């Protein structure tokens, strides 16, 4: 099913599902000052405008990962901004996947150099990991996905980092884009978890000065 609806229908759907323009962990700086469309980082905002102007997303729902700001922005196929959230990203700086990272992820043998969040344009699809958890695959071959903040011994520390207003504090995942549980369930799952989509991961510097060329080359 392709998700592309008009602005009025999008507003009704958002209200029915309890979506908000932004989402943050309770008590965080972002929760006190919600991220509005006007306050989205200029690079991400410009990229979204270019995506829509060129119809690069082919009317599919899409998301932008701004690594510099450590933010995820989720859009409907018609360009309506559904939600934004701080995210955890790869703890290692880099815009490329290291060869063999997918296999090492599955076997639990990741190296520090493997833990990057690669930049680029990806066709996403809903799926499951090895434990049966519903996730959104960004790039299956490199085991790159959008998923919830998971339970575990380090959950509290990761939740604290996720709530930090400093983007550099949110660089602590193994490479995946990690979002708050509530945001995954209310935004990611309904929009990207039911059909194919497109995920644009911006480069470390966050620059999209020549976005037209960037879209053509799929280099962000």
């Amino acid at each position: 099913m392709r998700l592309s609806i008009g602005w009025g229908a999008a507003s009704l759907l958002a209200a029915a599902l309890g979506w908000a323009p932004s989402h943050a962990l309770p008590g965080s700086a972002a929760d006190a000052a919600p991220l509005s469309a006007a306050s989205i980082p200029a690079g991400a905002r410009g990229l979204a405008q270019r995506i829509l102007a060129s119809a690069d997303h082919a009317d599919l729902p899409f998301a932008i990962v701004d690594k510099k700001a450590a933010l995820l922005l989720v859009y409907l196929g018609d360009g309506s901004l559904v939600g934004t959230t701080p995210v955890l990203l790869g703890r290692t700086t880099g815009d490329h996947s290291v060869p063999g990272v997918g296999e090492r992820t599955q076997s639990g043998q990741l190296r520090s150099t493997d833990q990057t969040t690669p930049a680029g344009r990806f066709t996403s699809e809903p799926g499951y990991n090895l434990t049966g958890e519903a996730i959104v695959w960004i790039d299956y071959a490199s085991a790159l996905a959008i998923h919830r903040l998971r339970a575990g011994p380090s959950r509290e520390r990761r939740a604290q980092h996720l709530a930090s207003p400093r983007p550099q504090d949110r660089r602590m995942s193994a490479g995946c884009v990690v979002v708050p549980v509530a945001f995954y369930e209310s935004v990611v799952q309904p929009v990207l978890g039911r059909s194919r989509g497109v995920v644009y991961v911006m480069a470390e510097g966050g620059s999209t000065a020549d976005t037209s060329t960037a879209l053509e080359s799929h280099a962000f």
Side-chain angles (χ1 to χ4, degrees), residues 1-7 9-10 57-61 76-79 195:
M1 179 183 71
R2 209 160 83 171
L3 182 57
S4 178
I5 58 180
W7 181 268
H57 64 310
D59 291 333
L60 292 171
L76 297 178
D78 68 353
S195 70

Side-chain angles (χ1 to χ4, degrees), residues 38-191:
S39 62
I40 291 170
R45 187 167 62 250
L47 178 56
Q49 291 169 349
R50 291 290 187 177
I51 290 167
L52 293 169
S54 65
D56 183 81
H57 64 310
D59 291 333
L60 292 171
F62 68 96
I64 294 174
V65 179
D66 185 331
K67 288 204 287 180
K68 186 176 181 180
L71 293 173
L72 173 69
L73 302 91
V74 180
Y75 295 82
L76 297 178
D78 68 353
S80 303
L81 176 62
V82 179
T84 67
T85 183
V87 293
L88 298 182
L89 298 173
R91 58 175 52 88
T92 300
T93 300
D95 289 320
H96 302 283
S97 292
V98 178
V101 64
E103 292 82 356
R104 288 190 292 277
T105 298
Q106 300 296 345
S107 63
Q109 298 178 333
L110 274 181
R111 308 169 303 193
S112 60
T113 53
D114 292 328
Q115 299 178 41
T116 63
T117 301
R121 178 192 188 278
F122 303 90
T123 299
S124 68
E125 60 180 330
Y128 298 89
N129 63 12
L130 291 177
T131 66
E133 175 193 7
I135 62 177
V136 173
W137 287 112
I138 299 175
D139 182 27
Y140 182 83
S142 60
L144 177 65
I146 302 172
H147 66 74
R148 304 168 181 82
L149 180 66
R150 292 169 176 155
S154 64
R155 179 187 172 89
E156 183 176 352
R157 182 168 62 89
R158 287 181 288 127
Q160 291 172 347
H161 279 260
L162 187 53
S164 171
R166 297 177 359 126
Q168 58 268 39
D169 291 342
R170 302 201 294 272
R171 299 302 298 266
M172 65 172 305
S173 82
C176 286
V177 179
V178 181
V179 305
V181 173
F183 187 87
Y184 189 95
E185 294 177 350
S186 64
V187 177
V188 175
Q189 179 63 33
V191 179

Side-chain angles (χ1 to χ4, degrees), residues 185-206:
E185 294 177 350
S186 64
V187 177
V188 175
Q189 179 63 33
V191 179
L192 299 172
R194 294 178 179 173
S195 70
R196 291 171 57 246
V198 185
V199 176
Y200 301 85
V201 183
M202 297 171 64
E204 293 287 352

Side-chain angles (χ1 to χ4, degrees), residues 14-26:
L17 293 174
W19 289 342
S22 62
H23 180 91
L25 292 177

